[in-house]
Amino acid sequence: MSAWQEVRDLVTARETKTLADRVIALTEAERAEVARRLPGFLTEMRGTATQMARESERYHGRDGEEPWLAWERRRTVRDALAKFGVALRIAGAGTISGPAAAAAWLTRRELYPEWAPAPGPAEVVRVLVTRPAEWQADIAARLAGKIRRAGDDRIAPLVLALLRASGITPPAHDMLVVAWLTGEAANDDPLLGPLLPGIFDAEGAGRALREERLTPSPTRWLSLIRRLLDAGRVSRAELLDGCVSRFLRGGAAADLRFFVRLHELVDPAPQEAAERARDYLRLLPAAPGPVAELALAQINRCGPHDDADVQEAIEALTFRPEAKLARAGLTLLDREVRRRPARAGELAPALVTALAHASDDVRRRAVRIALRHAAAFGEDATPIADAVPLLPADLGRELAAVFGGEVAAEETREPFTPVPLPVFPEPGPFPPPAVDWTVRALHGWEACEQWLAGFVERVDRDRAALCDALIPAFGSSFLHLYGRERWLDPDAWIAAMAKEVIAPGSDPGVPDPEPVDPWAGSSFSVSVSAVPSEEPHAAVEQEAPENEDDAEGDDEAEGGAAPERAFGGLPEHVREEIFRQIRELGVSAERVEAMRDGLPVPPPDPGEPNFSVWITHFGFGPLFGEPEEPDPAVELRRRARLPEPARVSPPHMFLLHRLSEIYRTLREGTLPPVLLATPTVTTGHLDPGVLVDRLELCAAAGTEPLPADLQQALLRLPRGAHPVAAERAARVGSQAASAVAAWLARGGLPDPEAGLKWGYVEGAQEHLFEERDPMHVEQVHVEQVRLVPVLRAEPTGHPLIDELLREPSKWRWDDHGCAMDWWPSILPSHREVVSVNYLPHLLYQWNQPGVYPPYLEGVADADGPLGDATALILAYFLATSHPGSVPLLLRMTSRGALDAAAVGRQLALLIRRTWCEARPVLASLREAAYQGAHEQVWEIVRTLLPGLLPSAGERPVVAHTEAVTFAADVAAWVGARGEISAVSAHAATGRASRGSRFARECARLRDLLAG
């Protein structure tokens, strides 16, 4: 066999270790031959994979050149080639002579998985390090240059492994450093020495390290650097100079975050800070806030400074937009003027800069300093007087009284003119039945309900005419309908009904499942040992308790004449392993063959050992015993193309039951003349009198209504008792009519307990906020917060209704969240139950079905009590600035369906516990107030503030001030009265007249509410 044939066979078998050994041992001539044949072999493999993909497409009836099919075919081919990627790379790494060609081969995209990480490069590197050193250095540089991003699993692991194994000096390439940083941090890494200094210069290094933390304990890279620092392997000066040089280069705060923490880890001494004082000063004017704060702290530590440095620092700080840094600059200015009043004139421009600052707190502090040192400024006060017009009127008057200047006009708040709420049309009568729809027009639950009603009526009345009406829309559509295992979309069921009328019996049904190997996925460990002669010849032991099958196996092995084969219930490879070990133990070949074939077993020869067989079994099923019978309910659902109830949302499953029974009875020829549950109002409600009329029609036709359709009709009845309709229904005499009469007489479904709880995941454990606060609030990320639906209802005796009212899962997967536009019409008299079912789909809508305002419009127009679930959904729309949020709030207000207090409470929780922010909420509420909902907006804000405002130990931020300011404005618009204790508490802290703007706005709101 030629060397090429050996390599080819090893690649095909994916024997990577053996392949690497063989490639290393190749002669130069053999290397050249393999390198020459590799590209053609890859082309051949690609062609084979493409042909197999096309054959698979034709087998599944998908032959064609549609763009999506071509994309799927390319993905299939790439996945097939990637399985051989490691072997092909090994072959190329050891045979391709030119470094450029080898690098191109090793980085071919089709040799790597598209989505999964690339397999480990150990065998490829083992081959590469056998090549000449100069060749290795060349290919390492070429491969490193191809790294384009930090997480490039396709190339970076190979380059780093090659550099570590070969000892080559790493090439200068920023992304190589970044890729190294994304890996493990180890003391003994040979790349530490050459690559660690590069973190200060490599673009993207700071971004890769931005999640590094010093508290509560240093994370991996900071911990490693501290160990290196303690061991003297890196110097303090190198680290400090590297950090400062990185700061001076500039960049986003997030990209410099690691270097700030590294600087903090080194903790320079005053002398070390003094040596870099000029660099720290250069950072004050424009560096990101955390860097400027660090620089200021070092400048304060390494004093004293000359006058020019002090002035430079003050001017830089008062120029900063951050209030904290500007206040620090004013503190320095105040201290310097106290120390040397003669320098006041030099520092006046910095004070003027602070007077024009965007922060109200900074301006007020600058005014106080100016008034305190008015005498020191003396004849240099002209710039201060010129700045008076830049100040609000109250501050301008204080300053002008001492320095002169023109005071700005009083700020007038935006006038508010109340407008009436917009008028929304009341729900109207439901449109009449219709089947003359195109497939495209069958969109939305109303159109589908119309179609279903018209379809059932016309099937009973004039099937031929119905067939003619359906052919244009459905005759050539839904070509692959019967190939689907489940029909989850209402459109699929409607298409199946239409096709059954067009071509009766065309549905071949769901095929039987493929036979299941009961041993698939199981593993066995067999041990045969000799036992004393007085014990049985064979005893089969296993992890499960012994049963009759075990004893039967013993008899066979002992020499009984049972016709069955010994160990016949086990997979053949396990039986053969048992017989092999028995034979090695000394049992005669004749007896072993008899056991294998199920023949009478001869008696043992003298001295022949007895034996015991032990089997350890790992798998999903029992080792012995009868196979489990399939669950009849599961098989019934499978044949009806219905999913498991746990894998879809309860309202969706309820809808599928109704669609499935219409289709089934259509095929059986037992459809009633009319559907009971077709609504009479666009909310989904059903008039009780119309329901009784339909019951009478079914009774006159001698048919019972469909069970799911009956239960849907019950849920669509208006709330309350309907005695007149109940009496009429009782006289109909059918079983369905009796159920309707009882439902109407007792007032329908009692309101279930419906609501929600807020939960979170911490340390892989689920908790509720109401039971336990997170141990580390800052570690509760948005993906860890969970909405826990609450739904409890008394059994009704109607199985599908009881299944519908089961508590939804807080998790979602598979097909949860389909057909959500139907849900309000399924429970139009219990709308909070609908909102509870929406909760699992609210917060995390990326690549998943989500909840949108039109769904909640259906809830608003429906009937029944409302609670926290509905309030939270509206709050979410407001907090995410959804374009439909304000019209929805106005609609709910107009309908009397707005629980404003609950919305305010849920808004506070959203802002506290998720990524939502206050500013979009305030913007949405302001817009709603200007459109007529000002009173409701005040109620929302009144309950929002206690949960939103800073708690003990928290500092107020701009969003808190804006919230209180907006609340004070709305309170003035509506003439609100009544204390909000949280606002009063904040107003009482400090001096409201001279304290922060937040405290002043709290005082303004407090005074407005006090009247």
Side-chain angles (χ1 to χ4, degrees):
M1 183 183 295
S2 68
W4 161 244
Q5 190 61 49
E6 289 183 66
V7 170
R8 178 188 174 112
D9 291 347
L10 289 171
V11 168
T12 305
R14 291 184 283 179
E15 295 286 348
T16 54
K17 186 178 185 305
T18 306
L19 174 63
D21 293 337
R22 185 67 186 96
V23 168
I24 291 171
L26 291 173
T27 66
E28 287 302 320
E30 289 171 337
R31 290 179 194 276
E33 174 67 9
V34 172
R36 184 178 66 81
R37 302 286 291 272
L38 269 178
F41 181 44
L42 178 59
T43 302
E44 178 187 337
M45 295 178 72
R46 189 187 305 112
T48 301
T50 302
Q51 182 62 29
M52 292 175 65
R54 288 187 181 277
E55 290 176 0
S56 175
E57 291 166 10
R58 285 194 290 270
Y59 177 79
H60 290 94
R62 298 187 299 180
D63 197 13
E65 291 300 328
E66 294 89 343
W68 71 269
L69 196 58
W71 174 86
E72 186 175 345
R73 186 187 312 127
R74 286 194 298 271
R75 187 185 66 176
T76 302
V77 171
R78 177 169 176 177
D79 289 345
L81 291 178
K83 294 177 181 178
F84 301 90
V86 176
L88 288 167
R89 292 200 301 276
I90 291 171
T95 61
I96 299 175
S97 59
W105 179 265
L106 291 173
T107 56
R108 293 182 75 106
R109 289 188 176 274
E110 59 192 336
L111 302 186
Y112 292 85
E114 187 170 10
W115 303 112
E123 295 299 329
V124 180
V125 171
R126 186 160 70 88
V127 172
L128 287 173
V129 296
T130 64
R131 309 297 294 272
E134 185 178 347
W135 189 94
Q136 293 180 50
D138 193 343
I139 196 171
R142 293 176 185 275
L143 291 173
K146 292 178 178 289
I147 302 175
R148 295 289 182 265
R149 60 185 188 277
D152 196 342
D153 293 330
R154 188 169 56 93
I155 305 172
L158 172 62
V159 179
L160 294 171
L162 175 59
L163 292 173
R164 290 185 175 108
S166 64
I168 299 168
T169 301
H173 183 54
D174 285 358
M175 292 315 299
L176 175 64
V177 177
V178 176
W180 174 65
L181 291 172
T182 58
E184 293 300 319
N187 292 29
D188 57 353
D189 188 351
L191 298 180
L192 264 176
L195 291 185
L196 185 60
I199 68 174
F200 301 107
D201 301 315
E203 190 65 36
R207 192 173 305 113
L209 295 169
R210 60 185 173 184
E211 297 304 322
E212 289 283 310
R213 296 284 190 274
L214 275 175
T215 56
S217 60
T219 46
R220 53 182 186 143
W221 281 102
L222 287 171
S223 177
L224 173 61
I225 293 174
R226 183 166 70 179
R227 294 195 300 272
L228 297 175
L229 194 59
D230 293 342
R233 293 175 60 184
V234 296
S235 72
R236 296 172 56 85
E238 288 175 343
L239 294 178
L240 288 174
D241 289 341
C243 289
V244 172
S245 67
R246 185 65 189 83
F247 296 149
L248 290 171
R249 284 175 52 204
D255 293 345
L256 297 177
R257 184 185 301 155
F258 167 79
F259 301 103
V260 171
R261 289 167 179 164
L262 177 57
H263 190 284
E264 183 181 343
L265 175 71
V266 178
D267 189 20
Q271 178 59 36
E272 292 173 315
E275 293 170 0
R276 298 165 179 82
R278 289 303 307 166
D279 289 330
Y280 291 132
L281 281 169
R282 290 166 59 195
L283 293 172
L284 290 180
V291 177
E293 292 177 22
L294 174 152
L296 177 61
Q298 298 307 314
I299 290 170
N300 288 336
R301 294 182 65 188
C302 64
H305 305 285
D306 60 36
D307 291 349
D309 287 349
V310 171
Q311 183 174 344
E312 181 180 346
I314 293 172
E315 290 175 348
L317 290 169
T318 53
F319 180 76
R320 299 283 311 202
E322 300 93 337
K324 180 179 180 180
L325 290 170
R327 287 195 299 267
L330 287 175
T331 300
L332 285 177
L333 187 152
D334 184 40
R335 185 189 308 157
E336 189 67 13
V337 174
R338 286 175 185 271
R339 188 174 68 86
R340 293 179 57 190
R343 295 202 64 207
E346 300 173 23
L347 301 176
L351 182 65
V352 171
T353 300
L355 289 171
H357 202 277
S359 167
D360 185 67
D361 291 344
V362 172
R363 292 197 301 265
R364 290 181 181 276
R365 182 171 296 192
V367 168
R368 290 199 298 274
I369 291 173
L371 296 175
R372 183 183 303 134
H373 301 294
F377 286 109
E379 59 187 27
D380 296 312
T382 301
I384 298 176
D386 292 341
V388 168
L390 303 176
L391 294 168
D394 59 333
L395 292 178
R397 281 193 294 271
E398 289 187 56
L399 204 61
V402 176
F403 293 93
E406 184 177 350
V407 179
E410 286 282 353
E411 181 181 355
T412 57
R413 296 192 178 275
E414 184 180 1
F416 176 76
T417 304
V419 298
L421 278 169
V423 177
F424 293 88
E426 291 296 321
F430 197 76
V435 293
D436 300 322
W437 297 94
T438 64
V439 173
R440 190 178 298 275
L442 270 173
H443 177 70
W445 76 272
E446 297 96 334
C448 291
E449 284 282 7
Q450 286 180 263
W451 191 95
L452 291 170
F455 177 83
V456 171
E457 290 180 9
R458 293 182 66 174
V459 163
D460 181 66
R461 188 173 67 245
D462 191 347
R463 193 174 186 124
L466 175 62
C467 178
D468 293 338
L470 295 175
I471 287 175
F474 296 96
S476 59
S477 61
F478 292 87
L479 298 179
H480 308 296
L481 178 66
Y482 301 129
R484 303 181 195 171
E485 292 184 1
R486 296 175 301 166
W487 292 340
L488 298 173
D489 195 320
D491 292 353
W493 291 98
I494 287 175
M497 296 175 201
K499 287 179 177 293
E500 180 64 22
V501 170
I502 295 170
S506 56
D507 183 356
V510 181
D512 291 331
E514 293 292 329
V516 177
D517 180 2
W519 309 110
S522 299
S523 62
F524 301 86
S525 175
V526 175
S527 175
V528 179
S529 58
V531 296
S533 58
E534 64 270 10
E535 295 190 15
H537 276 75
V540 178
E541 301 291 343
Q542 53 160 333
E543 290 187 325
E546 294 186 8
N547 54 33
E548 293 178 3
D549 289 333
D550 300 337
E552 208 171 286
D554 298 346
D555 291 340
E556 291 168 0
E558 288 175 23
E564 292 85 0
R565 300 184 307 160
F567 310 106
L570 292 173
E572 198 61 28
H573 69 280
V574 180
R575 295 182 70 240
E576 289 302 320
E577 177 61 19
I578 294 172
F579 298 140
R580 185 188 68 78
Q581 293 190 32
I582 291 174
R583 186 74 184 86
E584 288 181 352
L585 203 63
V587 177
S588 68
E590 183 182 7
R591 297 187 73 233
V592 171
E593 289 302 319
M595 295 179 204
R596 177 186 285 112
D597 297 335
L599 300 175
V601 180
D605 295 333
E608 187 173 322
N610 297 334
F611 57 87
S612 175
V613 178
W614 291 77
I615 301 175
T616 305
H617 158 254
F618 300 93
F620 294 103
L623 177 56
F624 297 106
E626 294 297 324
E628 293 184 9
E629 290 292 329
D631 185 341
V634 172
E635 179 63 13
L636 185 62
R637 282 196 300 269
R638 189 186 71 80
R639 293 194 176 279
R641 289 192 173 89
L642 291 173
E644 294 182 28
R647 295 184 177 274
V648 294
S649 304
H652 182 209
M653 192 69 203
F654 185 84
L655 170 63
L656 293 179
H657 277 302
R658 182 163 171 248
L659 296 170
S660 174
E661 75 174 6
I662 296 173
Y663 181 60
R664 174 178 52 79
T665 53
L666 169 68
R667 298 184 71 194
E668 295 171 353
T670 57
L671 263 179
V674 66
L675 290 179
L676 298 185
T678 304
T680 55
V681 185
T682 54
T683 58
H685 281 102
L686 171 60
D687 182 86
V690 173
L691 174 57
V692 177
D693 292 342
R694 294 170 181 170
L695 288 168
E696 291 172 344
L697 182 59
C698 290
T703 60
E704 278 287 338
L706 304 179
D709 187 47
L710 169 64
Q711 293 174 70
Q712 175 63 94
L714 296 178
L715 291 176
R716 282 178 168 168
L717 291 168
R719 294 172 63 80
H722 303 277
V724 175
E727 291 177 9
R728 281 187 59 204
R731 291 195 296 269
V732 173
S734 66
Q735 184 178 352
S738 298
V740 170
W743 188 276
L744 289 168
R746 69 170 179 261
L749 175 69
D751 289 320
E753 178 188 351
L756 75 131
K757 296 179 180 179
W758 283 81
Y760 63 95
V761 178
E762 185 177 63
Q765 296 291 321
E766 296 183 42
H767 306 281
L768 295 176
F769 280 96
E770 65 186 40
E771 297 174 352
R772 173 184 179 273
D773 288 331
M775 295 180 64
H776 303 290
V777 176
E778 69 277 3
Q779 294 181 4
V780 179
H781 304 297
V782 294
E783 60 268 19
Q784 293 176 302
V785 174
R786 293 287 178 263
L787 301 177
V788 181
V790 174
L791 182 59
R792 301 183 185 92
E794 294 296 325
T796 64
H798 296 281
L800 295 183
I801 294 179
D802 292 339
E803 182 182 310
L804 169 64
L805 296 178
R806 63 182 168 88
E807 194 164 78
S809 170
K810 57 181 173 292
W811 308 98
R812 60 179 178 177
W813 60 90
D814 289 345
D815 300 301
H816 285 85
C818 292
M820 282 196 276
D821 63 318
W822 284 75
W823 296 5
S825 70
I826 292 174
L827 284 154
S829 294
H830 299 277
R831 50 189 172 182
E832 183 70 1
V833 176
V834 177
S835 294
V836 168
N837 278 279
Y838 283 144
L839 292 177
H841 312 279
L842 186 65
L843 290 185
Y844 312 110
Q845 300 188 12
W846 305 282
N847 299 320
Q848 296 283 350
V851 184
Y852 302 102
Y855 302 164
L856 205 58
E857 288 180 11
V859 172
D861 290 349
D863 201 0
L866 291 169
D868 284 339
T870 305
L872 176 59
I873 297 172
L874 176 59
Y876 176 82
F877 294 149
L878 294 169
T880 53
S881 300
H882 196 288
S885 60
V886 172
L888 178 59
L889 187 152
L890 298 173
R891 186 188 196 97
M892 295 179 74
T893 300
S894 175
R895 294 273 190 265
L898 180 69
D899 186 343
V903 173
R905 289 192 300 271
Q906 296 302 325
L907 276 170
L909 294 175
L910 272 172
I911 296 169
R912 281 279 180 183
R913 295 172 177 173
T914 74
W915 67 93
C916 295
E917 298 179 353
R919 283 180 168 171
V921 171
L922 300 178
S924 298
L925 293 178
R926 182 177 292 276
E927 182 182 349
Y930 274 96
Q931 294 188 40
H934 45 284
E935 293 183 355
Q936 290 73 25
V937 166
W938 165 248
E939 190 63 24
I940 291 172
V941 173
R942 184 184 66 80
T943 54
L944 165 66
L945 286 179
L948 175 65
L949 296 183
S951 54
E954 278 189 282
R955 289 181 59 87
V957 296
V958 174
H960 295 137
T961 303
E962 292 176 349
V964 178
T965 301
F966 175 67
D969 291 343
V970 181
W973 298 343
V974 302
R977 295 294 182 269
E979 182 185 21
I980 301 175
S981 57
V983 173
S984 300
H986 285 292
T989 58
R991 299 182 301 276
S993 60
R994 303 178 76 80
S996 69
R997 183 186 170 207
F998 173 71
R1000 290 194 303 277
E1001 290 297 336
C1002 285
R1004 180 167 77 95
L1005 177 55
R1006 176 199 60 193
D1007 296 342
L1008 279 169
L1009 296 178

